[in-house]
Amino acid sequence: MNLLLLTADQFLNDDTAQVSGRQARHIVEIHRAELGQRLRVGRVNGCHGQGIVTNISADCVTLSHISLDQPPPTALPLTLLLAMPRPKMLRRLLQTVATMGVKKLVLHNAARVEKSFWQTPFLQPASVHEQFVLGLEQARDTVMPELVVEKRFRPFVEDRLPDFLEKDTRALVAHPYDAIPCPVGLPGNQPVALAIGPEGGYVPFEIDLLKAQGFSAVSLGERILRVETAVPVALARLFN
Amino acid sequence: MNLLLLTADQFLNDDTAQVSGRQARHIVEIHRAELGQRLRVGRVNGCHGQGIVTNISADCVTLSHISLDQPPPTALPLTLLLAMPRPKMLRRLLQTVATMGVKKLVLHNAARVEKSFWQTPFLQPASVHEQFVLGLEQARDTVMPELVVEKRFRPFVEDRLPDFLEKDTRALVAHPYDAIPCPVGLPGNQPVALAIGPEGGYVPFEIDLLKAQGFSAVSLGERILRVETAVPVALARLFN
């Protein structure tokens, strides 16, 4: 935790906040914070800065003199379309995505997504929020990503995706067949959409639907990567 | 598992092999292989190709007519120096490192490495081998990485590291202070050493030791990444 990320309801007033649960334990057990210590804090969708620990009780830490004056790091101009991964991977991916600065994430169904994946409690809003907070705290970011869940692939791609993407979006799908190498170092103001399929990849019908919406197939190299590796590798190539 | 990676002791003769345990279960339960089915197989440190399933019993699958004629994918010209991560992360990192084509990995101590990390059973050779096999099978690679464990940082960096690195190695340490941006797209024949510190980073004394050996500090951007994200991000930048 490189930043203590606070939601509006954790503020008692403009410059005082109280945290409990995981965040309080982290401050006490990992940072071993003492009274008077300064910590880096941020406000969800706001700025970050510092606060001073002024009270520590059983499961509650109070921060006062909070002053937030630094903007969050630059976000990626990216809409990430991810086929629903297996639940254990989902949690880590939500964190990774938030850490790397993705602000629009679409988890969608695909032919090779196991139906049972959709039953996971890790998709519940409180769980998603927790993973996003952990990812943002890692990166000293404050801007909460937006998550969209699309359980039917075809209506999503055909009907909603065109409106969802900004005009002039560079649309790419990670798919190693008939593909060009994934571009490197795109200009920072170029909106990009990147689709990454499930284990085993998209089926040809899904690739055709994406191509009909202007997506180009790109390859991340001759090695087949797990999705949790493919995401950081692709983002590091696209936006370096 | 995009390749079934076989060790010498799994071969009954030149073109027949028997697998049990995890690999047999994977073939039966995930691939749902039937008699006569072709599977992609490889031999550790050798080529890959195909084999045919000719027997399936309780916990054992036999592959015959194995023909291995394709070379493994290109390895990275990299020596990766990683401060010992926490055990859960270690397992995944060993897989990721193998998948991405790293062939030399040095796990080393550092001031901010918790002593308890070294007690993990995941460092035992059989466990390391298993994670490497999983990583190689993912990437359709066959060449086993070499793992070196260095429990004392200073003697390692001062005495052994110089001999360990090839001549003209480009030596980099991921460290965001006084750093240049991490280079992008190095030439494929340039040997590289990359050091990545523990959570919280290397301490100044450690950075000084590395710099004295010719290491330059490089930054991966303004976001602080967990080591399991920093590794794929750094490798994707260096070798795209």
Side-chain angles (χ1 to χ4, degrees):
Chain A
M1 184 162 86
N2 299 305
L3 168 86
L4 178 70
L5 187 57
L6 303 169
T7 50
D9 62 345
Q10 290 176 302
F11 280 86
L12 304 178
N13 57 49
D14 272 0
D15 71 352
T16 310
Q18 234 172 33
V19 301
S20 57
R22 174 190 66 81
Q23 289 180 320
R25 284 195 302 278
H26 195 97
I27 292 169
V28 173
E29 293 167 17
I30 310 290
H31 287 303
R32 301 196 183 157
E34 293 175 4
L35 294 180
Q37 190 165 331
R38 285 172 190 277
L39 292 180
R40 180 158 297 273
V41 300
R43 187 175 185 130
V44 168
N45 297 333
C47 284
H48 63 93
Q50 293 197 318
I52 296 175
V53 176
T54 50
N55 194 50
I56 300 177
S57 69
D59 184 44
C60 187
V61 173
T62 307
L63 291 126
S64 306
H65 309 290
I66 294 174
S67 156
L68 307 176
D69 52 4
Q70 292 179 54
T74 313
L76 297 179
L78 176 73
T79 302
L80 182 60
L81 314 176
L82 267 191
M84 179 67 180
R86 53 182 72 247
K88 256 170 60 181
M89 224 180 246
L90 171 65
R91 286 181 74 189
R92 291 203 298 270
L93 271 166
L94 292 172
Q95 279 191 41
T96 304
V97 155
T99 295
M100 294 195 74
V102 176
K103 298 305 172 194
K104 273 177 151 184
L105 172 65
V106 182
L107 287 175
H108 62 76
N109 199 15
R112 295 203 176 112
V113 168
E114 285 184 34
K115 283 212 182 81
S116 63
F117 293 174
W118 291 106
Q119 309 305 320
T120 176
F122 299 149
L123 258 188
Q124 288 175 6
S127 178
V128 170
H129 179 86
E130 189 189 357
Q131 300 308 317
F132 280 160
V133 168
L134 287 167
L136 294 173
E137 287 184 338
Q138 171 68 40
R140 290 194 180 157
D141 195 355
T142 61
V143 181
M144 197 57 71
E146 177 196 355
L147 172 65
V148 175
V149 173
E150 292 283 355
K151 293 197 182 175
R152 292 173 63 214
F153 186 77
R154 186 175 184 165
F156 162 59
V157 174
E158 287 190 332
D159 304 338
R160 287 187 289 282
L161 190 53
D163 292 333
F164 197 76
L165 299 179
E166 273 178 80
K167 201 166 159 290
D168 300 325
T169 292
R170 178 99 187 248
L172 308 171
V173 50
H175 186 70
Y177 308 104
D178 291 325
I180 57 165
C182 179
V184 173
L186 293 179
N189 55 356
Q190 161 82 63
V192 179
L194 174 67
I196 297 185
E199 279 179 51
Y202 290 112
V203 297
F205 170 74
E206 292 165 338
I207 290 291
D208 291 344
L209 284 178
L210 287 167
K211 285 186 175 172
Q213 298 297 339
F215 280 70
S216 308
V218 296
S219 160
L220 294 172
E222 59 183 331
R223 295 171 180 275
I224 306 168
L225 306 175
R226 284 183 305 174
V227 63
E228 62 191 298
T229 311
V231 167
V233 163
L235 302 194
R237 280 183 69 109
L238 291 170
F239 310 101
N240 59 44
Chain B
M1 183 163 84
N2 299 305
L3 168 85
L4 178 70
L5 187 57
L6 303 170
T7 50
D9 62 344
Q10 290 176 301
F11 280 86
L12 304 179
N13 57 50
D14 272 0
D15 70 352
T16 310
Q18 232 171 36
V19 301
S20 56
R22 174 190 66 81
Q23 289 180 320
R25 284 195 303 277
H26 195 97
I27 292 169
V28 173
E29 293 168 17
I30 311 289
H31 287 303
R32 301 197 183 156
E34 294 175 3
L35 294 180
Q37 190 164 331
R38 286 171 189 278
L39 292 180
R40 179 158 298 274
V41 299
R43 187 175 185 129
V44 167
N45 296 333
C47 284
H48 63 92
Q50 293 196 317
I52 297 176
V53 176
T54 50
N55 194 50
I56 301 176
S57 69
D59 184 43
C60 188
V61 172
T62 307
L63 291 126
S64 306
H65 309 289
I66 294 174
S67 157
L68 307 176
D69 52 4
Q70 292 180 53
T74 313
L76 297 180
L78 175 74
T79 301
L80 182 61
L81 315 176
L82 268 191
M84 179 67 180
R86 53 182 71 246
K88 257 171 57 181
M89 222 180 248
L90 171 64
R91 286 181 75 190
R92 291 204 296 271
L93 271 166
L94 292 173
Q95 279 192 41
T96 304
V97 155
T99 295
M100 294 196 73
V102 176
K103 299 304 172 194
K104 272 177 150 182
L105 172 65
V106 182
L107 287 175
H108 62 75
N109 199 15
R112 295 202 177 113
V113 168
E114 285 183 33
K115 282 211 181 82
S116 63
F117 293 175
W118 291 107
Q119 308 306 319
T120 176
F122 299 149
L123 257 189
Q124 286 175 8
S127 177
V128 170
H129 179 85
E130 188 189 357
Q131 300 306 319
F132 279 161
V133 167
L134 286 168
L136 294 173
E137 286 184 338
Q138 171 68 38
R140 291 194 179 157
D141 195 354
T142 61
V143 181
M144 196 58 70
E146 176 196 355
L147 171 66
V148 175
V149 173
E150 291 284 355
K151 294 198 182 175
R152 293 174 63 215
F153 186 78
R154 185 173 185 167
F156 162 59
V157 174
E158 287 191 332
D159 304 337
R160 286 187 291 282
L161 189 53
D163 293 333
F164 197 75
L165 299 180
E166 273 177 80
K167 203 167 159 288
D168 300 324
T169 292
R170 177 100 185 247
L172 308 171
V173 51
H175 186 70
Y177 308 104
D178 291 326
I180 57 165
C182 179
V184 173
L186 293 179
N189 55 357
Q190 162 83 63
V192 179
L194 173 68
I196 297 184
E199 279 179 50
Y202 289 112
V203 297
F205 170 74
E206 292 166 337
I207 291 291
D208 291 343
L209 284 178
L210 287 166
K211 285 187 174 170
Q213 298 297 340
F215 279 70
S216 308
V218 295
S219 160
L220 294 172
E222 58 183 330
R223 294 169 181 275
I224 306 168
L225 306 176
R226 284 182 306 174
V227 62
E228 62 193 298
T229 311
V231 167
V233 163
L235 302 195
R237 280 183 69 110
L238 291 170
F239 311 101
N240 59 43

